[in-house]
Amino acid sequence: MNVLGIIASGVAALFITVALAKGARRAALRPHAPDEPGGRAPRAAALRRTGGATMVLGVGTAVGGALWLGAADGSAGSVTGLLAGAGIVAALGLVHDLKPFRAALRFPVQTAAAVLVVCLAGLSPAAGVLAVLWIVLVTNAFALLDHADGLLTTAGLVTAAGLLACAALGGDPALTLLPATLVAGLAGFLLHNWHPARLRLGACGAQFTGFALAASGALIQEAAPSGRAAWAALPALATVALADTALVLISRRRAARSLLRDTDDHIAHRLRRVRVTVPGAAVLLGLWAAVPVTTATLVYAELLHPAFLLLPPAGSAVAVFVLLRIPAYTPPRTAPPRTAPPRTAPPRTAPPRTAPSRTAARRTTAPAPGAAMPSAAPAPRVAGPAPRKGAPSGTARTAAGHPTVPPPPTGRSAAGVAAERS
């Protein structure tokens, strides 16, 4: 395949992706009546989530047009298998975007698509088994990077550029077709996926990107000359995606969480906890991906010793260890334990002596006729000063304790007073 054909395919993929993404963005931002009062219409959210289909259509149309024009020369079978397998995985992702299903159901379809690529490329049984395992692993590793605006698009763009360089230096130039169109398609989609993102890759675009990168790397490695260190150089291109997967698996294993349930424990989430912005996280991840991609490309071109390939995995392992120290899971809120107050015996205090109220006295009723009159209860003793010496003990006293003084005698007896009144 000539250079002009590669450039024409890339330009076609760029313009088709930009045009389709712009139309999907306008449709998603167009105001319309929501289905539920006070809520946002589900159509806009679905269009944003399935925006990756525009990139898939752009890349697929460009590659299909190049194959139809006969630009792939003698490697048409390999390129056709790449496009067919990536299309199957993208269709599965589109169904998941519209109606989510369990992640475990993706593996059989991804395995079948990888087997199709291996069979059409004509790989040996041993190399084919390793290629299928590698394709499924890297596809899901790259798909996990789609958890922040512009993250997967940036990392995929850098990785596809490295694959394009390795394919151009390899023995089969036709394998540069898919990486070249993927670079152009991701660059056009990044205009709408950068923060704040109007469109997202979703499962459709993420799985298509991961499958295309993994399958292209496996076929480029198989077609590389025997003298090159392709067996070690090309796997290094997926260092960032594999580091994020290792970070997630180790973190969830330590926290005893489900390995297949997606939570906020990826690289970008931890960077956000240390006050790194969303665009800053995408830039940092792009620079992180550029280090192993550049090293692998230089080793593949025989400009560096293969021993330099140990540096990117070692640096990524240190980065994963540092990121593990950043808390990713919020501890559950638990109510404070209810502790009963100590039981103490109440102090024994004598009840206050109070005089009987007038209401209680009024409630008493007169005794029934014929009933014996109860004896009068002794009058309560009123506290007061002690009686003086010499005072008679039976003398009546006042409330203050003083003896009462009888009225002075008038000299008349009771019988005389009664006679006067009559």
PDB file of all heavy atoms in Angstrom, residues 228-233 236 291-292 295-296 298-300 302-315:
ATOM      1  N   ARG A 228      14.062  -8.130  14.610  1.00  0.00           N
ATOM      2  CA  ARG A 228      13.583  -7.059  15.473  1.00  0.00           C
ATOM      3  C   ARG A 228      13.034  -7.641  16.785  1.00  0.00           C
ATOM      4  O   ARG A 228      12.571  -8.774  16.840  1.00  0.00           O
ATOM      5  CB  ARG A 228      12.494  -6.233  14.778  1.00  0.00           C
ATOM      6  CG  ARG A 228      12.963  -5.590  13.481  1.00  0.00           C
ATOM      7  CD  ARG A 228      11.863  -4.725  12.892  1.00  0.00           C
ATOM      8  NE  ARG A 228      12.240  -4.212  11.581  1.00  0.00           N
ATOM      9  CZ  ARG A 228      12.944  -3.092  11.386  1.00  0.00           C
ATOM     10  NH1 ARG A 228      13.334  -2.384  12.428  1.00  0.00           N
ATOM     11  NH2 ARG A 228      13.253  -2.697  10.169  1.00  0.00           N
ATOM     12  N   ALA A 229      13.082  -6.818  17.827  1.00  0.00           N
ATOM     13  CA  ALA A 229      12.584  -7.235  19.146  1.00  0.00           C
ATOM     14  C   ALA A 229      11.102  -6.900  19.264  1.00  0.00           C
ATOM     15  O   ALA A 229      10.667  -6.204  20.189  1.00  0.00           O
ATOM     16  CB  ALA A 229      13.395  -6.560  20.246  1.00  0.00           C
ATOM     17  N   ALA A 230      10.304  -7.393  18.304  1.00  0.00           N
ATOM     18  CA  ALA A 230       8.887  -7.063  18.311  1.00  0.00           C
ATOM     19  C   ALA A 230       8.153  -7.761  19.443  1.00  0.00           C
ATOM     20  O   ALA A 230       7.143  -7.260  19.948  1.00  0.00           O
ATOM     21  CB  ALA A 230       8.260  -7.457  16.969  1.00  0.00           C
ATOM     22  N   TRP A 231       8.652  -8.930  19.867  1.00  0.00           N
ATOM     23  CA  TRP A 231       7.978  -9.678  20.926  1.00  0.00           C
ATOM     24  C   TRP A 231       7.957  -8.911  22.252  1.00  0.00           C
ATOM     25  O   TRP A 231       7.085  -9.132  23.088  1.00  0.00           O
ATOM     26  CB  TRP A 231       8.675 -11.023  21.122  1.00  0.00           C
ATOM     27  CG  TRP A 231      10.120 -10.866  21.564  1.00  0.00           C
ATOM     28  CD1 TRP A 231      11.210 -10.743  20.750  1.00  0.00           C
ATOM     29  CD2 TRP A 231      10.591 -10.808  22.901  1.00  0.00           C
ATOM     30  NE1 TRP A 231      12.356 -10.617  21.492  1.00  0.00           N
ATOM     31  CE2 TRP A 231      12.001 -10.652  22.825  1.00  0.00           C
ATOM     32  CE3 TRP A 231       9.999 -10.864  24.146  1.00  0.00           C
ATOM     33  CZ2 TRP A 231      12.806 -10.556  23.957  1.00  0.00           C
ATOM     34  CZ3 TRP A 231      10.787 -10.771  25.279  1.00  0.00           C
ATOM     35  CH2 TRP A 231      12.177 -10.618  25.188  1.00  0.00           C
ATOM     36  N   ALA A 232       8.905  -7.987  22.427  1.00  0.00           N
ATOM     37  CA  ALA A 232       8.953  -7.195  23.656  1.00  0.00           C
ATOM     38  C   ALA A 232       8.537  -5.752  23.432  1.00  0.00           C
ATOM     39  O   ALA A 232       8.081  -5.098  24.370  1.00  0.00           O
ATOM     40  CB  ALA A 232      10.366  -7.233  24.245  1.00  0.00           C
ATOM     41  N   ALA A 233       8.699  -5.254  22.214  1.00  0.00           N
ATOM     42  CA  ALA A 233       8.431  -3.835  21.965  1.00  0.00           C
ATOM     43  C   ALA A 233       6.937  -3.553  21.856  1.00  0.00           C
ATOM     44  O   ALA A 233       6.421  -2.627  22.494  1.00  0.00           O
ATOM     45  CB  ALA A 233       9.152  -3.380  20.695  1.00  0.00           C
ATOM     46  N   ALA A 236       4.664  -3.395  24.980  1.00  0.00           N
ATOM     47  CA  ALA A 236       4.906  -2.225  25.837  1.00  0.00           C
ATOM     48  C   ALA A 236       4.005  -1.057  25.466  1.00  0.00           C
ATOM     49  O   ALA A 236       3.869  -0.117  26.258  1.00  0.00           O
ATOM     50  CB  ALA A 236       6.374  -1.798  25.742  1.00  0.00           C
ATOM     51  N   VAL A 291       5.628   7.760  26.977  1.00  0.00           N
ATOM     52  CA  VAL A 291       6.950   7.223  27.363  1.00  0.00           C
ATOM     53  C   VAL A 291       7.128   5.781  26.879  1.00  0.00           C
ATOM     54  O   VAL A 291       8.113   5.489  26.169  1.00  0.00           O
ATOM     55  CB  VAL A 291       7.133   7.345  28.891  1.00  0.00           C
ATOM     56  CG1 VAL A 291       8.430   6.672  29.329  1.00  0.00           C
ATOM     57  CG2 VAL A 291       7.133   8.804  29.314  1.00  0.00           C
ATOM     58  N   PRO A 292       6.250   4.831  27.206  1.00  0.00           N
ATOM     59  CA  PRO A 292       6.457   3.475  26.670  1.00  0.00           C
ATOM     60  C   PRO A 292       6.278   3.384  25.161  1.00  0.00           C
ATOM     61  O   PRO A 292       6.932   2.559  24.514  1.00  0.00           O
ATOM     62  CB  PRO A 292       5.394   2.640  27.402  1.00  0.00           C
ATOM     63  CG  PRO A 292       4.372   3.605  27.841  1.00  0.00           C
ATOM     64  CD  PRO A 292       5.084   4.871  28.117  1.00  0.00           C
ATOM     65  N   THR A 295       9.579   4.599  23.667  1.00  0.00           N
ATOM     66  CA  THR A 295      10.641   3.625  23.931  1.00  0.00           C
ATOM     67  C   THR A 295      10.466   2.380  23.059  1.00  0.00           C
ATOM     68  O   THR A 295      11.437   1.866  22.474  1.00  0.00           O
ATOM     69  CB  THR A 295      10.621   3.240  25.416  1.00  0.00           C
ATOM     70  OG1 THR A 295      10.736   4.416  26.215  1.00  0.00           O
ATOM     71  CG2 THR A 295      11.770   2.306  25.744  1.00  0.00           C
ATOM     72  N   ALA A 296       9.216   1.881  22.968  1.00  0.00           N
ATOM     73  CA  ALA A 296       8.974   0.683  22.161  1.00  0.00           C
ATOM     74  C   ALA A 296       9.229   0.937  20.680  1.00  0.00           C
ATOM     75  O   ALA A 296       9.779   0.072  19.977  1.00  0.00           O
ATOM     76  CB  ALA A 296       7.539   0.214  22.371  1.00  0.00           C
ATOM     77  N   LEU A 298      11.375   3.111  19.375  1.00  0.00           N
ATOM     78  CA  LEU A 298      12.823   3.199  19.155  1.00  0.00           C
ATOM     79  C   LEU A 298      13.487   1.830  19.245  1.00  0.00           C
ATOM     80  O   LEU A 298      14.437   1.540  18.496  1.00  0.00           O
ATOM     81  CB  LEU A 298      13.448   4.154  20.174  1.00  0.00           C
ATOM     82  CG  LEU A 298      13.036   5.623  20.036  1.00  0.00           C
ATOM     83  CD1 LEU A 298      13.657   6.466  21.139  1.00  0.00           C
ATOM     84  CD2 LEU A 298      13.427   6.175  18.664  1.00  0.00           C
ATOM     85  N   VAL A 299      13.009   0.968  20.140  1.00  0.00           N
ATOM     86  CA  VAL A 299      13.558  -0.393  20.219  1.00  0.00           C
ATOM     87  C   VAL A 299      13.167  -1.187  18.973  1.00  0.00           C
ATOM     88  O   VAL A 299      13.976  -1.957  18.428  1.00  0.00           O
ATOM     89  CB  VAL A 299      13.070  -1.077  21.510  1.00  0.00           C
ATOM     90  CG1 VAL A 299      13.434  -2.567  21.502  1.00  0.00           C
ATOM     91  CG2 VAL A 299      13.673  -0.398  22.730  1.00  0.00           C
ATOM     92  N   TYR A 300      11.933  -1.026  18.505  1.00  0.00           N
ATOM     93  CA  TYR A 300      11.483  -1.715  17.302  1.00  0.00           C
ATOM     94  C   TYR A 300      12.276  -1.263  16.077  1.00  0.00           C
ATOM     95  O   TYR A 300      12.551  -2.075  15.175  1.00  0.00           O
ATOM     96  CB  TYR A 300       9.998  -1.453  17.079  1.00  0.00           C
ATOM     97  CG  TYR A 300       9.379  -2.267  15.981  1.00  0.00           C
ATOM     98  CD1 TYR A 300       8.924  -3.566  16.234  1.00  0.00           C
ATOM     99  CD2 TYR A 300       9.236  -1.756  14.695  1.00  0.00           C
ATOM    100  CE1 TYR A 300       8.350  -4.319  15.230  1.00  0.00           C
ATOM    101  CE2 TYR A 300       8.661  -2.510  13.692  1.00  0.00           C
ATOM    102  CZ  TYR A 300       8.223  -3.792  13.958  1.00  0.00           C
ATOM    103  OH  TYR A 300       7.669  -4.551  12.947  1.00  0.00           O
ATOM    104  N   GLU A 302      15.331  -0.534  16.200  1.00  0.00           N
ATOM    105  CA  GLU A 302      16.716  -0.916  16.498  1.00  0.00           C
ATOM    106  C   GLU A 302      17.590   0.292  16.786  1.00  0.00           C
ATOM    107  O   GLU A 302      18.792   0.290  16.484  1.00  0.00           O
ATOM    108  CB  GLU A 302      17.301  -1.752  15.356  1.00  0.00           C
ATOM    109  CG  GLU A 302      16.567  -3.059  15.127  1.00  0.00           C
ATOM    110  CD  GLU A 302      17.175  -3.891  14.016  1.00  0.00           C
ATOM    111  OE1 GLU A 302      18.014  -3.343  13.257  1.00  0.00           O
ATOM    112  OE2 GLU A 302      16.817  -5.072  13.906  1.00  0.00           O
ATOM    113  N   LEU A 303      17.005   1.339  17.349  1.00  0.00           N
ATOM    114  CA  LEU A 303      17.771   2.509  17.768  1.00  0.00           C
ATOM    115  C   LEU A 303      18.113   2.483  19.249  1.00  0.00           C
ATOM    116  O   LEU A 303      18.964   3.261  19.701  1.00  0.00           O
ATOM    117  CB  LEU A 303      16.989   3.786  17.445  1.00  0.00           C
ATOM    118  CG  LEU A 303      16.692   4.030  15.963  1.00  0.00           C
ATOM    119  CD1 LEU A 303      15.856   5.292  15.786  1.00  0.00           C
ATOM    120  CD2 LEU A 303      17.996   4.125  15.164  1.00  0.00           C
ATOM    121  N   LEU A 304      17.464   1.629  20.026  1.00  0.00           N
ATOM    122  CA  LEU A 304      17.734   1.444  21.446  1.00  0.00           C
ATOM    123  C   LEU A 304      17.883  -0.037  21.732  1.00  0.00           C
ATOM    124  O   LEU A 304      17.340  -0.887  21.023  1.00  0.00           O
ATOM    125  CB  LEU A 304      16.602   2.018  22.309  1.00  0.00           C
ATOM    126  CG  LEU A 304      16.514   3.547  22.456  1.00  0.00           C
ATOM    127  CD1 LEU A 304      15.318   3.898  23.348  1.00  0.00           C
ATOM    128  CD2 LEU A 304      17.790   4.121  23.049  1.00  0.00           C
ATOM    129  N   HIS A 305      18.601  -0.331  22.798  1.00  0.00           N
ATOM    130  CA  HIS A 305      18.762  -1.720  23.222  1.00  0.00           C
ATOM    131  C   HIS A 305      17.448  -2.208  23.852  1.00  0.00           C
ATOM    132  O   HIS A 305      16.749  -1.443  24.529  1.00  0.00           O
ATOM    133  CB  HIS A 305      19.908  -1.824  24.239  1.00  0.00           C
ATOM    134  CG  HIS A 305      20.348  -3.233  24.489  1.00  0.00           C
ATOM    135  ND1 HIS A 305      19.754  -4.031  25.456  1.00  0.00           N
ATOM    136  CD2 HIS A 305      21.307  -4.006  23.873  1.00  0.00           C
ATOM    137  CE1 HIS A 305      20.326  -5.214  25.447  1.00  0.00           C
ATOM    138  NE2 HIS A 305      21.268  -5.237  24.492  1.00  0.00           N
ATOM    139  N   PRO A 306      17.104  -3.473  23.655  1.00  0.00           N
ATOM    140  CA  PRO A 306      15.852  -3.967  24.254  1.00  0.00           C
ATOM    141  C   PRO A 306      15.797  -3.863  25.775  1.00  0.00           C
ATOM    142  O   PRO A 306      14.705  -3.927  26.358  1.00  0.00           O
ATOM    143  CB  PRO A 306      15.801  -5.432  23.796  1.00  0.00           C
ATOM    144  CG  PRO A 306      16.591  -5.460  22.530  1.00  0.00           C
ATOM    145  CD  PRO A 306      17.682  -4.464  22.721  1.00  0.00           C
ATOM    146  N   ALA A 307      16.942  -3.709  26.435  1.00  0.00           N
ATOM    147  CA  ALA A 307      16.934  -3.587  27.889  1.00  0.00           C
ATOM    148  C   ALA A 307      16.206  -2.322  28.352  1.00  0.00           C
ATOM    149  O   ALA A 307      15.719  -2.264  29.488  1.00  0.00           O
ATOM    150  CB  ALA A 307      18.358  -3.589  28.434  1.00  0.00           C
ATOM    151  N   PHE A 308      16.114  -1.319  27.485  1.00  0.00           N
ATOM    152  CA  PHE A 308      15.409  -0.083  27.856  1.00  0.00           C
ATOM    153  C   PHE A 308      13.898  -0.309  28.017  1.00  0.00           C
ATOM    154  O   PHE A 308      13.211   0.534  28.598  1.00  0.00           O
ATOM    155  CB  PHE A 308      15.658   0.993  26.799  1.00  0.00           C
ATOM    156  CG  PHE A 308      17.002   1.639  26.909  1.00  0.00           C
ATOM    157  CD1 PHE A 308      18.075   1.167  26.169  1.00  0.00           C
ATOM    158  CD2 PHE A 308      17.203   2.725  27.754  1.00  0.00           C
ATOM    159  CE1 PHE A 308      19.319   1.761  26.268  1.00  0.00           C
ATOM    160  CE2 PHE A 308      18.438   3.328  27.853  1.00  0.00           C
ATOM    161  CZ  PHE A 308      19.513   2.842  27.119  1.00  0.00           C
ATOM    162  N   LEU A 309      13.409  -1.437  27.490  1.00  0.00           N
ATOM    163  CA  LEU A 309      11.986  -1.709  27.640  1.00  0.00           C
ATOM    164  C   LEU A 309      11.594  -2.058  29.071  1.00  0.00           C
ATOM    165  O   LEU A 309      10.406  -2.107  29.395  1.00  0.00           O
ATOM    166  CB  LEU A 309      11.584  -2.859  26.712  1.00  0.00           C
ATOM    167  CG  LEU A 309      11.622  -2.555  25.213  1.00  0.00           C
ATOM    168  CD1 LEU A 309      11.345  -3.820  24.411  1.00  0.00           C
ATOM    169  CD2 LEU A 309      10.591  -1.479  24.870  1.00  0.00           C
ATOM    170  N   LEU A 310      12.583  -2.305  29.937  1.00  0.00           N
ATOM    171  CA  LEU A 310      12.277  -2.583  31.333  1.00  0.00           C
ATOM    172  C   LEU A 310      11.923  -1.323  32.112  1.00  0.00           C
ATOM    173  O   LEU A 310      11.304  -1.407  33.181  1.00  0.00           O
ATOM    174  CB  LEU A 310      13.465  -3.285  32.000  1.00  0.00           C
ATOM    175  CG  LEU A 310      13.854  -4.652  31.412  1.00  0.00           C
ATOM    176  CD1 LEU A 310      15.094  -5.174  32.118  1.00  0.00           C
ATOM    177  CD2 LEU A 310      12.708  -5.635  31.542  1.00  0.00           C
ATOM    178  N   LEU A 311      12.325  -0.165  31.596  1.00  0.00           N
ATOM    179  CA  LEU A 311      12.094   1.074  32.335  1.00  0.00           C
ATOM    180  C   LEU A 311      10.617   1.469  32.390  1.00  0.00           C
ATOM    181  O   LEU A 311      10.107   1.811  33.478  1.00  0.00           O
ATOM    182  CB  LEU A 311      12.929   2.194  31.717  1.00  0.00           C
ATOM    183  CG  LEU A 311      14.449   2.009  31.790  1.00  0.00           C
ATOM    184  CD1 LEU A 311      15.166   3.186  31.120  1.00  0.00           C
ATOM    185  CD2 LEU A 311      14.904   1.874  33.245  1.00  0.00           C
ATOM    186  N   PRO A 312       9.860   1.461  31.280  1.00  0.00           N
ATOM    187  CA  PRO A 312       8.437   1.843  31.385  1.00  0.00           C
ATOM    188  C   PRO A 312       7.609   0.953  32.305  1.00  0.00           C
ATOM    189  O   PRO A 312       6.843   1.471  33.132  1.00  0.00           O
ATOM    190  CB  PRO A 312       7.949   1.781  29.927  1.00  0.00           C
ATOM    191  CG  PRO A 312       9.169   1.981  29.110  1.00  0.00           C
ATOM    192  CD  PRO A 312      10.255   1.300  29.859  1.00  0.00           C
ATOM    193  N   PRO A 313       7.734  -0.387  32.248  1.00  0.00           N
ATOM    194  CA  PRO A 313       6.953  -1.187  33.210  1.00  0.00           C
ATOM    195  C   PRO A 313       7.360  -0.943  34.655  1.00  0.00           C
ATOM    196  O   PRO A 313       6.505  -0.929  35.551  1.00  0.00           O
ATOM    197  CB  PRO A 313       7.236  -2.637  32.782  1.00  0.00           C
ATOM    198  CG  PRO A 313       7.632  -2.543  31.355  1.00  0.00           C
ATOM    199  CD  PRO A 313       8.378  -1.257  31.248  1.00  0.00           C
ATOM    200  N   ALA A 314       8.667  -0.731  34.900  1.00  0.00           N
ATOM    201  CA  ALA A 314       9.101  -0.472  36.271  1.00  0.00           C
ATOM    202  C   ALA A 314       8.544   0.860  36.771  1.00  0.00           C
ATOM    203  O   ALA A 314       8.063   0.962  37.915  1.00  0.00           O
ATOM    204  CB  ALA A 314      10.631  -0.467  36.337  1.00  0.00           C
ATOM    205  N   GLY A 315       8.597   1.898  35.928  1.00  0.00           N
ATOM    206  CA  GLY A 315       8.021   3.185  36.330  1.00  0.00           C
ATOM    207  C   GLY A 315       6.520   3.103  36.539  1.00  0.00           C
ATOM    208  O   GLY A 315       5.975   3.722  37.469  1.00  0.00           O
TER     209      GLY A 315
END
